[in-house]
Amino acid sequence: MENVDLVGIDLAKNVFQLHGCSSTGEVIFRKQLRRNKLLPFISELPPCTIAMEACSGSHYWGREFESLGHMVRLIPPKYVKPFVKRSKSDAIDAEAICEAALRPTMRFVQIRSEDNQAAALAFRARDLLVRQRTQIINSLRGHLSEFGFVVAKGPTHVSKLVSAIEDGSVELPEISRPLLSILVDTLEALNARIRQLETQIAQRAKEDETSRRLTTIPGIGPIIATAIAALAPPASTFKRGRDFAAWLGLTPLQHSTGGKQRLGRTSKMGNRTLRRLLIIGASAVVRWAERKGAIPGSWLARMLERKPPMLIRVALANKMARIAGSVAKIPPSRR
């Protein structure tokens, strides 16, 4: 297989489909391998380019293949789909990965290190626990409403739900009170775990110089700053701050033709967690400006006068992302 220049691998849990071709796209081999046979086979190949979809496990395999002397290219699955011919199978997918990797203008995903992936676990775990906490709060509110006790939405009113169950201020069937107490105990345990994770994230923000600089941006706190450092690609990937905002999906979709520019809804591409965190941070800034008043004549003051609230939040999140992308690109010598 001396003529193999590119190998496309359709990743799976146990059975992997390989498609080898030359630099011109000529098919050299098609092969199906079990998981324990993949690395031995790749180690016998001469140094070549290995292309995969950027999906679960791709960064692990990318690190393993790079350690064997190969060049690894990870492609977003959305960019591979146009090269799939007719029906779908593992062999067709592997061939499509090769064809996509041969395109000179193809965009690739940078391989993450183990430490970078481990740092992102804190945010993944916190998001999961926050979703579970929201589910329990909604469950408590729904169950108590069945017995005539109704409170407003929002985390600030959770104490009323807990008091109604623990203090006995609301008449409930005896069989329901211990069951609801189980949900309250679970809610308190989740709050403790979330606070623990937030403490770790805040400590990491203090230790990282880039995160400390990002926290100087209004609306960006320790959680958002460390999330950008852990979840976003390296700042060198983007030429300018607006490219980072576009990668996050905070820019409008274009439907332009014939010299006429038509902008649609927000693209919502890129990392969903980062985009959501930036919008939450922007919402906090907007709420503060609505209560205390924005600086007269500033961009935010002009927007508050003539634009709807949600549009302002997304526009401010875009502005924050552009500033964050520029701040993260500042070399250490200029800091």
Side-chain angles (χ1 to χ4, degrees), residues 59-72:
H59 293 277
Y60 162 75
W61 288 113
R63 292 191 297 268
E64 293 293 327
F65 297 154
E66 283 187 340
S67 66
L68 297 175
H70 300 286
M71 180 182 295
V72 179

Side-chain angles (χ1 to χ4, degrees), residues 16-44:
F16 298 79
Q17 181 69 40
L18 281 69
H19 182 93
C21 64
S22 64
S23 58
T24 59
E26 180 185 357
V27 179
I28 306 298
F29 68 85
R30 293 187 177 94
K31 188 177 292 289
Q32 197 176 74
L33 294 174
R34 303 288 298 181
R35 187 181 186 90
N36 59 348
K37 299 292 183 62
L38 181 60
L39 278 179
F41 177 80
I42 296 297
S43 62
E44 296 176 358

